[in-house]
Amino acid sequence: MPHITPPYLLQKKVAIALVGCGGNGSQMLTGLARLNHAITALGHPGLTIRVFDPDTVSEANMGRQMFGAFDVGSSKAHVLVNRINGFFGLDWKAFFGRYEVDDHAYDMMICCVDSAKARHGITQTFHRRRPRYLMDLGNRAADGQVIFGEPSQDDDWPPAPAGSVRLPSPYAILPELIDHMAAEDDTPSCGLAEALERQELFVNQSIVTPALSILWEFFRYGRLTWHGAFVNMRTGSMRPLQVKEPVAATADDHIEN
């Protein structure tokens, strides 16, 4: 049985918070603009995006992320959103800072942060306002995952369509993703060469592609038979996470942050 897209999300502008616009987030934002352009051409009202990131562009980001030399020193969120707004004629919003709960009710949150501590901090805001859907992307040097799910069964949202299979929260599947007590390596890279020693050049693209494919099926076809993927560039494999598939993930299947 599939997960069925709630009809109201096919009939209104969908409010999305994109948290983090570095390796995964910068490519995700560009893909979301393309997705928005496509679904509006097919009659959907489209997406409205608010982007949060506390970092500025460094030389180490160039090439691996969607930035150039002229962006160095500027807010990542503002650089990307201004560029996309100008190119596609949108009015998406950028915020230079960490995500904090605000007065907006988000239909969906896309989490592209790089640590369990940051993820944990985001989930702490859910006691006040929780998105209907949550997508989490993460990677190591040459592998990673994307998981799309429902973080709660709050009564604030319209009920799920009859026959729709509920999607588990990404952090119910991989609780270690929000284990803020675990040791993490958050040392910044000083240059692109050093960054490439820690992450392969196209690993982010390999994670973002299935993430966007999930959202395309969600909005274009109104249902999902898979809601995530584990990707390994060294073996050339992608293992889809099927709807209602029980997962017994191991340390080799996913990342810690």
Side-chain angles (χ1 to χ4, degrees):
M1 293 179 63
H3 176 79
I4 301 173
T5 305
Y8 78 97
L9 290 180
L10 302 177
Q11 300 164 358
K12 66 181 281 288
K13 272 200 175 252
V14 177
I16 299 177
L18 176 65
V19 185
C21 53
N24 289 322
S26 62
Q27 300 210 36
M28 193 68 192
L29 181 60
T30 303
L32 287 170
R34 295 170 60 195
L35 175 68
N36 177 78
H37 185 76
I39 63 176
T40 54
L42 294 170
H44 190 284
L47 313 175
T48 177
I49 312 285
R50 293 163 69 87
V51 182
F52 301 82
D53 196 293
D55 293 334
T56 57
V57 180
S58 70
E59 291 185 4
N61 300 142
M62 294 162 50
R64 195 173 58 82
Q65 301 179 18
M66 303 295 283
F67 301 107
F70 42 82
D71 298 322
V72 172
S74 300
S75 157
K76 288 183 177 181
H78 281 94
V79 165
L80 293 173
V81 171
N82 289 340
R83 183 184 302 159
I84 284 170
N85 282 347
F87 190 89
F88 287 95
L90 300 170
D91 60 352
W92 293 357
K93 306 298 182 185
F95 298 89
F96 179 49
R98 300 184 184 279
Y99 170 78
E100 296 181 356
V101 67
D102 54 29
D103 293 331
H104 285 74
Y106 296 107
D107 301 297
M108 187 181 299
M109 177 177 287
I110 301 175
C111 186
C112 297
V113 299
D114 59 2
S115 72
K117 181 179 179 181
R119 286 183 175 93
H120 180 264
I122 291 167
T123 63
Q124 295 308 293
T125 68
F126 288 175
H127 70 280
R128 289 185 54 194
R129 192 175 292 276
R130 187 184 305 261
R132 173 71 179 262
Y133 288 94
L134 174 65
M135 174 176 275
D136 185 278
L137 295 82
N139 67 279
R140 294 186 294 199
D143 66 299
Q145 80 284 322
V146 54
I147 305 176
F148 182 61
E150 298 173 272
S152 78
Q153 300 186 34
D154 289 352
D155 295 332
D156 296 341
W157 300 106
S164 179
V165 174
R166 178 172 168 76
L167 301 178
S169 167
Y171 307 138
I173 295 174
L174 297 178
E176 49 267 65
L177 291 178
I178 55 173
D179 182 6
H180 62 292
M181 302 302 291
E184 297 184 293
D185 180 8
D186 58 358
T187 306
S189 301
C190 295
L192 180 58
E194 182 180 342
L196 292 174
E197 289 295 323
R198 302 173 64 182
Q199 290 191 28
E200 295 293 342
L201 180 59
F202 295 113
V203 64
N204 302 116
Q205 183 175 320
S206 74
I207 306 301
V208 168
T209 297
L212 290 168
S213 295
I214 290 167
L215 294 180
W216 170 249
E217 293 193 20
F218 184 81
F219 289 114
R220 175 68 177 94
Y221 300 109
R223 59 180 53 215
L224 292 173
T225 57
W226 64 297
H227 66 112
F230 297 97
V231 179
N232 190 313
M233 294 183 65
R234 295 221 168 98
T235 62
S237 65
M238 186 186 84
R239 180 166 69 89
L241 181 60
Q242 303 294 339
V243 170
K244 212 174 181 179
E245 174 188 326
V247 176
T250 68
D252 292 331
D253 289 327
H254 61 271
I255 62 163
E256 296 294 334
N257 55 53

